[in-house]
Amino acid sequence: QHRQRIPIRLRRGAPIRIMVGRALAYLLMYVPVVFIDLFVLPRVFGFPHIGSIGTLIGFLLPFLLATIFFSITMAGFFRERDTIIVTCIFFSVILLFLSGTAWPQSNMPAVWRWFSYLFPSTPAIQGFIRINTMGAHLSEVSFEYLLLWFQTGVYFFTACTSLRLMSWLRRKQII
């Protein structure tokens, strides 16, 4: 079933159009979830919310795009969709520790800190905490903000490449 979602032949520029279409579809699905997570639940539970809504939304866009393209890239490495879910569950606790919220990054070896920046969750968590608890603006979380945009570009490229590779493998009947 996963194989049937991969086109056999791709025209010139098709991976870009497909990735933009998928990203827009996923963004539309995530908007209600993000609205509830960032604006409704903090008020319901009385969590501090100092940051401006405009800053949060501006920071959220590159995070969602980087996460979407990262996920599409990772999906290319798995034949079965269920394997992706199990893998995400396994890595979620590890990524929580690497993000610096459950364990301070200052106590981690440098190699693990650099490794953590491969995932959109690390700069996003660090930026969101500073925006929500300290009222930081985008200029004050510029490292995390620019890193998320960089990840968006890299993972967009890898997602397009993954789609092209999967199409080629399907055409050769390898997958």
Side-chain angles (χ1 to χ4, degrees), residues 42-78:
R43 283 167 177 62
V44 168
F45 292 108
F47 294 148
H49 182 74
I50 299 173
S52 75
I53 292 174
T55 302
L56 276 175
I57 292 171
F59 193 77
L60 186 66
L61 180 64
F63 166 65
L64 286 176
L65 289 173
T67 303
I68 288 167
F69 295 133
F70 176 78
S71 301
I72 293 171
T73 298
M74 291 298 109
F77 292 103
F78 299 98

Side-chain angles (χ1 to χ4, degrees), residues 91-116:
F91 280 105
S92 63
V93 175
I94 295 169
L95 292 176
L96 179 66
F97 276 94
L98 288 176
S99 72
T101 54
W103 186 265
Q105 280 196 324
S106 59
N107 293 350
M108 290 182 208
V111 68
W112 287 112
R113 276 188 303 232
W114 285 104
F115 179 73
S116 73

